[in-house]
Amino acid sequence: MDGVTMSGVRATARIVARDDGRGGTALPVLEGDGPIALRRTRGSGAEARVMLVGAMSGPLGGDEFAVEAEVESGARLRVGSSAATIALPGQAKGEARYDVRLHVGDGGELEWLPEQLISAQGSDLYVRTRVELGGTARLVLREEQVLGRVGEQPGRLSSRLTVCVEGRALLDQELACGPGAPGGWDGPAVLGGHRAVGQLVVVRPEFGMEPMAARVVGEGAVVMPLAGPAVLVSAVAADALRLRRLLDEALAAVA
């Protein structure tokens, strides 16, 4: 663990995926830290699979968590999580932070598919995800955020997602919800009263030559081409189950 301070817990988990030269993917670095444990699971073909396992409650107020994953050229990695992450209020005052830093080299492939992030009442969490891709890298990234547990109001949840290909930004967007967030977050222009919001970013070199057309998928999801080899799926739903169904349907539509 990086450390425990008066303001909370600091912890970082690291993954490095590397082409093993035999048609598979090795994991020379697989380091869980404190509340973030990493487990390798059975892969498929050339793909290695890793599961994020929460070893403690949190993040709590004042905590600083980070996950770093590097997929080297020619490697394939799929990352999921064993359960939803729940942002909770803690004894320490102040905002909690969760940083995700992903890098995929040329010819590498990453599927980043964690379970939902739930913003519990009284919590305050800032999530920062930054993805750096090589020119021929492939990516499927899913984010799902649920505002409040059943029957409760949400905490404050702020998130920023940035995706770059060869140093050029394809996507850089922010969303803030809950108490203290800028006005209008729950209005018709943003969530429209829904309590689950999610997105998929799919990056494939072929999208740069044949961009996908914008379209609506199901009730509450839209596919939008980005200015580069990628598409963005944005979705809102009444709950986590309906959100996952929407995103699964959208991913099948762009596959």
Side-chain angles (χ1 to χ4, degrees):
M1 186 182 300
D2 287 357
V4 180
T5 70
M6 294 297 291
S7 60
V9 176
R10 294 182 180 178
T12 301
R14 299 177 178 88
I15 307 167
V16 175
R18 181 174 297 159
D19 185 347
D20 66 5
R22 303 187 301 274
T25 296
L27 298 174
V29 177
L30 191 64
E31 300 175 348
D33 191 12
I36 310 172
L38 300 174
R39 300 287 184 267
R40 181 165 189 169
T41 61
R42 185 181 297 275
S44 176
E47 178 186 80
R49 294 189 179 184
V50 172
M51 192 71 67
L52 299 172
V53 180
M56 294 170 53
S57 296
L60 309 177
D63 288 351
E64 296 182 11
F65 293 176
V67 179
E68 301 173 354
E70 180 176 1
V71 181
E72 297 182 359
S73 179
R76 296 180 59 190
L77 176 65
R78 180 187 177 105
V79 178
S81 59
S82 60
T85 297
I86 304 178
L88 296 165
Q91 293 183 346
K93 294 182 179 180
E95 177 186 74
R97 295 184 63 92
Y98 200 129
D99 290 315
V100 178
R101 298 182 284 269
L102 310 174
H103 182 274
V104 187
D106 283 330
E109 184 171 342
L110 173 63
E111 293 183 61
W112 188 264
L113 302 169
E115 294 301 309
Q116 298 93 351
L117 170 62
I118 301 173
S119 174
Q121 187 172 9
S123 64
D124 186 358
L125 177 64
Y126 179 77
V127 182
R128 177 76 167 93
T129 302
R130 184 171 182 87
V131 188
E132 298 280 352
L133 303 171
T136 57
R138 302 171 73 87
L139 172 74
V140 177
L141 180 146
R142 182 180 69 208
E143 285 191 343
E144 297 170 309
Q145 298 168 353
V146 181
L147 304 180
R149 293 170 291 192
V150 176
E152 75 173 7
Q153 293 299 308
R156 180 183 170 93
L157 177 60
S158 304
S159 63
R160 182 174 181 180
L161 172 62
T162 305
V163 180
C164 298
V165 174
E166 295 186 310
R168 181 172 61 87
L170 291 181
L171 177 69
D172 192 353
Q173 67 177 25
E174 294 186 75
L175 177 65
C177 303
W185 66 269
D186 202 22
V190 186
L191 297 187
H194 294 90
R195 283 295 177 264
V197 57
Q199 55 194 353
L200 284 166
V201 181
V202 182
V203 181
R204 294 176 179 162
E206 55 266 32
F207 289 165
M209 296 174 286
E210 297 182 11
M212 297 199 72
R215 56 180 151 161
V216 175
V217 178
E219 295 184 9
V222 61
V223 178
M224 298 173 289
L226 299 177
V231 296
L232 171 68
V233 178
S234 297
V236 293
D239 54 45
L241 180 60
R242 296 177 189 178
L243 177 67
R244 177 63 60 85
R245 289 174 177 168
L246 272 175
L247 292 178
D248 285 347
E249 184 179 350
L251 182 57
V254 302

